[in-house]
Amino acid sequence: MQLGNIARARGVRLLTLGDIDSTNEEARRLIETGERGPLWIVAARQTRGRGRLGREWVSPAGNLYASFVYSEFEDARVAPELGFVAGVAAIRALRASAGANGFRLKWPNDVLLDGAKLGGILLECLNAQTSPVAIIGIGVNIAEAPADLPYPARALSSLGPAAPAAEAFFERLSDALAEILEIWRAGEGFAQIRDEWLASAASLGDEIGVATANETLVGRFDTIDAIGRLILETQNGRRAIEAGDVLVGPRKTRGSARMTAAPQADFVFAPFGGVGEIGMNLALYGFGTPRARKWLMVDCGLGFPGADLPGIDVVFPDIAFVEKIAKDLVAICITHAHEDHIGALATLWPKLKCKVYATPFAAGLLEVRRLNEPGAPNIDIHTVSAGTVLQLDPFTVEYVAVAHSIPEANALAIKTPLGVVLHTGDWKIDPQPGVGNRIDEARLRALGDEGVDVLICDSTNILREGDSFSESDVARVLRPLIAEAPGRVLVTTFASNVARLRAIAEAALACGRTVVVAGRAMDRVVQVARDCGYLDGLPGFHSPDMLPNLPREKTVVIATGSQGEPRAAMMRASQNDHPSIKLVAGDRVIFSSRTIPGNQREVHRVINNLCNLGVEVITDHDHLVHCSGHPRRGEVAQMYEWVRPKFAVPVHGEAHHLTQHVAFARSKGVEHVISARDGDMVKLLPGPPSIVEQLPHGRLLKDGDVVIGEDDGAVRERNKLSFAGIVSIALAVDKKGELVGDPDVVTAGVPKKGKFGEDMGEVIDEALFATFEGLPRARRRDADAISTAIERSVRGAINSVWGKKPIVHVMVVSAS
Ligand SMILES: [Zn+2]
Ligand SMILES: [Zn+2]
C-alpha cells in the first residue's frame, strides 16, 4: 500500500498493518497516545470490525480496510460532515480507478454498486468537547463480498478485468480524500460537497422508507439539508431525519447493515461535583448527537472547603462547561433540599436561567432564604412531588420517593429513546422515617421489571455493613434521655432533619417540656416544615429569649452547631457566650448528629467546653441518638435487586467509597460498572458504557461576597501569610540616590525575637541598610532594583534567625 502523490504532498502519513481487530480501534488507541493525523491506517484483514449496535462486520482478505485520522477542524459539530466528505471521495476514487458508472451513495453512509452494497463508512469523533479528532473508517469489498448477509452485496472484482486491486484503489482514494478535504475547509465548503454527494445519491426523488430509532417513515427522498440530514416529504409534511436506515423499494427490504456515518445519538452522564468527593453534587445528563445534544441538570449543590482554603466558607462546582451548553439545558431537577444538592442554586442559577423543578419543601427553603438575602435571584421554580412525571424533551423524568434524612427526597427515573437511567439521589430504606416519604419499593421494583439500563447510586455508606437504623429507633432512644434529664436539655442536630426535630418535639411534649429553637438555619426549616404540615399537632416553638422565664427542667433547646461551627448557637453556649442559652452543671447536651470528617477538632472543642461547665454530654458513641440518611451495603444490595440494572455508575462518595461500590456492584452481577470522577463524560447508552471525554471542571470559591476561581492567587497568598506572616517596608529615595528620612517597617505575623534573642526589627533594619548602601549609586535610582534587592536580603536575614521566610513587600517612593 502507498499513498497517492497529492496525499503525500499534503503531509498525510500511512501506517500499514497485517491482521488487526479493527482499523478504527487502532486509530482510537493511537489518538489516546496523542495522534492527531492526518494519518491513514490500512490493515490486510480485520478480525473484529466495528458496526453499529456491535454487529459483526465480516472481513475477507483482499478488501480494503482503512481508517483516516483527521483533526484539522475546531468545532466537533462539523465532524458529521466528514461522512459526506468520505462518501464523495470514495465515489471519485471508484469512478477513476474502475471506470464503471454504477456507483451510488446511500444515505447516510453506504457505497453501492448497481444497487448492491459495495462498502461502508463509519465515522467517529473523539474529544468532541475539547480538541476533536475524527476517525473516518472506510471498508470496500474489492476482492470478495462477505457471504450470508441479509442484503445484496457486491465486490469490485465482479466488474472483471476493469476492477482495480486494493493498492491501486487506495492510492486514488487517499488523493481524492486529500483534495476534497481541501474543498471542505473545516465545513466552509460543505455546500459544494453536499451537491456532489447528491449528484451520486441513490433513490433521490424516489419513494423510500426510513427506519429511525422510534418509527419507520415513508416518503419521497427530497434532499440532504445544510447539516446533512435526510429530508423526507411525507404525507404529514417534511421531516428532517438525523439518523436511520433507508429501506429501499416498495417491499421495504432492509438495504444495509446498520453501520452509520451519520452522527449517532447517545445518552451521556457528566458529573461536575460529588463524584470523588462528598459534597457539591451537580451532574448533567445529555441526549442527542455531539452536534445537537440536549441536557438535563440534576442538583446544584455546594461543598465545604478544608483547611487548605483559609477564609473560604463554601465551594461550588465550576460550571464553565454548563454555561457553554446553557441554551440546550432543558431544566434543572433537584432531588432534595440538602445544601450539597441545592446550595449552589442561588449563585449559579443566574448564569443558566432555566426552569428548576423541586418539591414544595425544597422550594420553600429556597424562597425563605431568598426573602432573607437581599439581591438573591428569583429562581424560576416549579414544584413537583413523588410520582410527578415531567416531559422535558428529549427526557422524561419521573420522581420516585425515597427515604432520607430530610423530607421529600426523590430518586429520578430519567428516560430517553435509548433507555432508562435511575439516579437514586441520596436515599436509605427506612420503614418508619417519621416524617416524609417511605421509599417507594413497589415503583422501584416496577421500574426494574420495565427495564433499568443504568443505576447511578449513592455511595456514602458503602463501607458499612448491614442496614441503617430507622428514624423511629432514634426517636425511641431520645424520649427517655429527654424525659429523665434532671435539668435543661439541649439537643443539637442537622437543621434540615425535620423527622428528628419532630421526634425531639414529641419527646418534649410527652414530658411537659417547652421547645426552644435556636439558630437561623433551624428557624428557616421550622417555618417551611410548618407550612408543609410536617409539624402538625405540635405546639409552637419558642425563641431563646424566652429561656430566662422557663424552669430549667421544663425546657428542651434544639440548636444548630452540631459541627462546632464557630458562630452557631452550640459553640457560643459552650463558651458561656450566648445571650440567652446558659448551661450549667446538671444540664444535658445531646449531639443527635454525626461529626462530618474534617470537623472533629471543632466538635471536640465544644464537647470539652461543655465538660468544663459540668454539663453532661451524650453523643452517638453513648446511645443511638443519630442515624444516617444514606444506605449501607445491605440496602444498596436491595436496590440492585429491585432495579436489576445492566450497568452502574457509583456516585456521591470519595474515591474510597466509589472504588468499594464498583467492586460491590460487580459482585451483584452488574455487567459493566464505571468508576467515574468529576469531569468525566460517561457514555451510558447505547451500552456498554465508557468514559468518552474529559470536560473542564473544578471548584469555585465563595470568598466573602465574591466568587473566585480555584486558580485565583488570593487563597494561595493567604495560605502563605498564615504560615509566615508579612513584612512591609516603605522607603523614599531622592534623585541622587540617597535615602530621605527613615524607612517605615511594619510586620504582621512575625515573632519579635530571633532564635538567639535577636531583635527582629534590628535584623530587618540591618539587612535593609546594608543592602541599600551596597548598591552602586546608579542602581539606587532604580526603584525596581532597590525593592528586589531589599526583599531578597530581608527575607534571607529573617530566615537566618527564625527559620521561616515571610512575604516581604518593599515600596520605593522617589522624593525630589
Ligand atoms: Zn448529598
Ligand atoms: Zn442528602
Side-chain angles (χ1 to χ4, degrees):
M1 290 284 171
Q2 60 178 35
L3 294 165
N5 290 331
I6 300 170
R8 254 195 304 238
R10 302 281 186 276
V12 175
R13 288 166 291 129
L14 171 66
L15 174 65
T16 53
L17 303 162
D19 280 10
I20 183 89
D21 48 354
S22 94
T23 53
N24 267 34
E25 278 301 322
E26 179 64 17
R28 188 181 273 274
R29 289 189 287 265
L30 289 173
I31 290 167
E32 270 163 22
T33 62
E35 178 62 62
R36 312 259 317 151
L39 170 73
W40 275 104
I41 301 163
V42 184
R45 237 178 133 261
Q46 291 196 125
T47 53
R48 188 173 67 80
R50 283 174 64 90
R52 204 146 69 99
L53 305 173
R55 282 238 186 132
E56 282 297 305
W57 175 244
V58 194
S59 65
N63 292 343
L64 179 73
Y65 307 107
S67 293
F68 186 65
V69 176
Y70 189 68
S71 64
E72 289 167 21
F73 57 100
E74 273 162 25
D75 189 340
R77 286 175 299 180
V78 302
E81 296 171 3
L82 287 168
F84 295 89
V85 168
V88 170
I91 286 286
R92 280 196 191 181
L94 285 165
R95 289 191 182 141
S97 59
N101 239 332
F103 302 110
R104 286 281 180 278
L105 289 166
K106 176 161 166 278
W107 187 86
N109 53 7
D110 285 347
V111 182
L112 307 181
L113 172 55
D114 297 333
K117 178 158 168 168
L118 180 71
I121 293 157
L122 175 63
L123 181 72
E124 297 178 78
C125 185
L126 308 188
N127 311 331
Q129 311 291 349
T130 48
S131 52
V133 191
I135 305 170
I136 307 172
I138 300 184
V140 178
N141 304 330
I142 292 184
E144 190 186 329
D148 302 329
L149 293 177
Y151 50 84
R154 290 253 322 248
L156 271 185
S157 59
S158 67
L159 292 172
E167 287 78 5
F169 171 69
F170 174 71
E171 222 175 299
R172 297 269 189 178
L173 177 67
S174 66
D175 277 352
L177 187 65
E179 282 174 333
I180 294 165
L181 282 170
E182 222 146 80
I183 298 170
W184 184 62
R185 293 189 316 277
E188 279 174 55
F190 180 63
Q192 189 185 333
I193 287 155
R194 185 183 64 145
D195 290 346
E196 191 170 339
W197 194 97
L198 283 168
S200 298
S203 310
L204 189 66
D206 295 348
E207 177 95 347
I208 59 169
V210 183
T212 70
N214 306 316
E215 56 188 335
T216 296
L217 296 162
V218 178
R220 195 180 64 84
F221 177 9
D222 182 43
T223 189
I224 300 293
D225 74 1
I227 57 168
R229 295 175 302 182
L230 185 149
I231 304 299
L232 198 66
E233 296 271 13
T234 72
Q235 283 185 331
N236 307 319
R238 281 164 78 83
R239 293 283 300 264
I241 299 159
E242 216 153 317
D245 286 339
V246 172
L247 315 169
V248 186
R251 283 180 294 114
K252 316 240 181 333
T253 46
R254 185 149 289 219
S256 76
R258 295 177 66 96
M259 285 180 57
T260 183
Q264 198 181 338
D266 54 19
F267 188 0
V268 298
F269 168 67
F272 293 87
V275 185
E277 78 225 311
I278 300 226
M280 62 175 210
N281 297 284
L282 189 158
L284 284 182
Y285 286 93
F287 179 81
T289 59
R291 87 198 295 198
R293 217 176 237 140
K294 292 288 178 191
W295 299 91
L296 171 76
M297 189 161 139
V298 173
D299 289 337
C300 186
L302 56 72
F304 295 100
D308 59 322
L309 295 175
I312 302 300
D313 295 326
V314 296
V315 296
F316 306 122
D318 187 337
I319 56 159
F321 177 82
V322 189
E323 285 175 67
K324 243 170 57 186
I325 56 87
K327 69 172 182 21
D328 292 314
L329 187 62
V330 297
I332 301 174
C333 287
I334 300 295
T335 59
H336 67 287
H338 273 147
E339 291 284 22
D340 61 323
H341 297 258
I342 61 168
L345 257 185
T347 304
L348 301 184
W349 183 82
K351 301 174 192 233
L352 305 172
K353 294 208 161 105
C354 66
K355 282 189 176 178
V356 176
Y357 293 91
T359 65
F361 183 74
L365 279 178
L366 286 167
E367 181 61 9
V368 171
R369 178 164 325 158
R370 183 179 75 82
L371 297 175
N372 286 303
E373 270 171 37
N378 197 353
I379 298 171
D380 181 17
I381 296 188
H382 303 252
T383 51
V384 291
S385 52
T388 298
V389 178
L390 298 171
Q391 296 298 339
L392 302 167
D393 189 39
F395 306 96
T396 304
V397 180
E398 178 183 345
Y399 277 70
V400 182
V402 293
H404 187 40
S405 45
I406 192 165
E408 300 175 5
N410 286 280
L412 304 177
I414 304 169
K415 298 181 192 174
T416 72
L418 281 172
V420 180
V421 171
L422 184 71
H423 182 106
T424 65
D426 296 1
W427 65 282
K428 69 186 283 196
I429 298 174
D430 188 334
Q432 288 176 287
V435 164
N437 294 316
R438 289 177 54 179
I439 191 165
D440 191 344
E441 178 183 340
R443 184 61 194 131
L444 291 168
R445 281 182 186 277
L447 280 165
D449 294 340
E450 292 160 23
V452 168
D453 296 282
V454 190
L455 181 65
I456 310 271
C457 183
D458 183 350
S459 310
T460 316
N461 278 347
I462 196 71
L463 305 179
R464 307 177 74 174
E465 293 292 344
D467 298 333
S468 49
F469 288 99
S470 164
E471 278 298 329
S472 60
D473 298 330
V474 174
R476 236 186 327 275
V477 172
L478 283 172
R479 196 171 281 244
L481 289 177
I482 289 172
E484 290 155 17
R488 176 168 292 165
V489 178
L490 187 153
V491 188
T492 182
T493 186
F494 299 105
S496 56
N497 192 333
V498 177
R500 196 71 52 82
L501 299 188
R502 187 171 180 103
I504 297 162
E506 281 176 350
L509 185 65
C511 61
R513 290 180 184 247
T514 303
V515 175
V516 168
V517 169
R520 251 190 316 163
M522 203 72 91
D523 289 337
R524 285 199 294 253
V525 171
V526 166
Q527 184 186 336
V528 177
R530 280 219 186 271
D531 289 347
C532 294
Y534 293 128
L535 298 175
D536 283 358
L538 290 169
F541 301 156
H542 296 273
S543 71
D545 38 321
M546 283 290 287
L547 278 172
N549 311 323
L550 297 166
R552 305 194 77 77
E553 69 286 0
K554 288 289 169 203
T555 50
V556 174
V557 182
I558 309 177
T560 54
S562 66
Q563 301 305 307
E565 297 93 327
R567 291 181 297 269
M570 190 63 252
M571 176 68 90
R572 296 181 63 191
S574 80
Q575 290 168 333
N576 216 351
D577 176 33
H578 194 281
S580 35
I581 305 174
K582 304 289 176 203
L583 295 170
V584 297
D587 289 343
R588 174 178 282 180
V589 170
I590 302 172
F591 280 78
S592 185
S593 60
R594 182 184 74 101
T595 303
I596 293 167
N599 297 338
Q600 283 96 342
R601 215 166 2 152
E602 289 71 21
V603 173
H604 286 158
R605 184 184 310 157
V606 174
I607 293 175
N608 287 329
N609 289 344
L610 292 168
C611 292
N612 283 336
L613 291 174
V615 171
E616 181 194 11
V617 176
I618 293 174
T619 72
D620 62 344
H621 291 286
D622 310 305
H623 294 278
L624 182 66
V625 290
H626 176 68
C627 66
S628 166
H630 299 274
R632 295 193 186 190
R633 288 171 91 84
E635 291 156 277
V636 177
Q638 280 271 271
M639 181 64 88
Y640 279 93
E641 274 161 40
W642 293 341
V643 172
R644 287 151 279 148
K646 281 204 258 300
F647 314 124
V649 186
V651 297
H652 207 286
E654 295 173 357
H656 188 197
H657 305 106
L658 300 177
T659 307
Q660 290 284 314
H661 192 161
V662 167
F664 184 77
R666 290 202 176 118
S667 77
K668 294 290 153 202
V670 179
E671 246 176 87
H672 290 273
V673 187
I674 299 290
S675 180
R677 294 291 183 276
D678 293 342
D680 286 344
M681 181 153 102
V682 185
K683 183 204 70 177
L684 299 174
L685 296 170
S690 61
I691 295 170
V692 289
E693 254 182 83
Q694 294 293 314
L695 302 175
H697 66 105
R699 294 187 294 182
L700 299 172
L701 317 179
K702 178 122 199 275
D703 191 22
D705 293 333
V706 177
V707 176
I708 58 175
E710 212 168 1
D711 48 3
D712 190 294
V715 177
R716 220 177 18 250
E717 282 167 16
R718 210 171 292 161
N719 261 318
K720 249 165 111 182
L721 283 172
S722 71
F723 177 72
I726 184 167
V727 176
S728 301
I729 300 170
L731 47 91
V733 180
D734 67 15
K735 280 188 192 125
K736 285 180 254 158
E738 298 291 344
L739 276 179
V740 180
D742 272 344
D744 231 344
V745 178
V746 178
T747 69
V750 177
K752 300 217 163 20
K753 301 267 180 209
K755 59 186 161 188
F756 298 116
E758 303 92 334
D759 183 279
M760 202 61 87
E762 280 169 21
V763 170
I764 294 168
D765 279 354
E766 244 165 63
L768 191 171
F769 286 115
T771 308
F772 184 79
E773 265 136 38
L775 284 172
R777 192 161 287 272
R779 309 259 296 155
R780 282 198 228 157
R781 290 187 211 110
D782 176 350
D784 286 344
I786 299 170
S787 64
T788 311
I790 293 179
E791 269 171 33
R792 195 172 304 147
S793 73
V794 169
R795 208 170 15 240
I798 293 177
N799 186 38
S800 67
V801 301
W802 183 22
K804 289 170 82 168
K805 292 182 192 167
I807 294 174
V808 178
H809 286 167
V810 180
M811 279 144 288
V812 180
V813 188
S814 313
S816 45

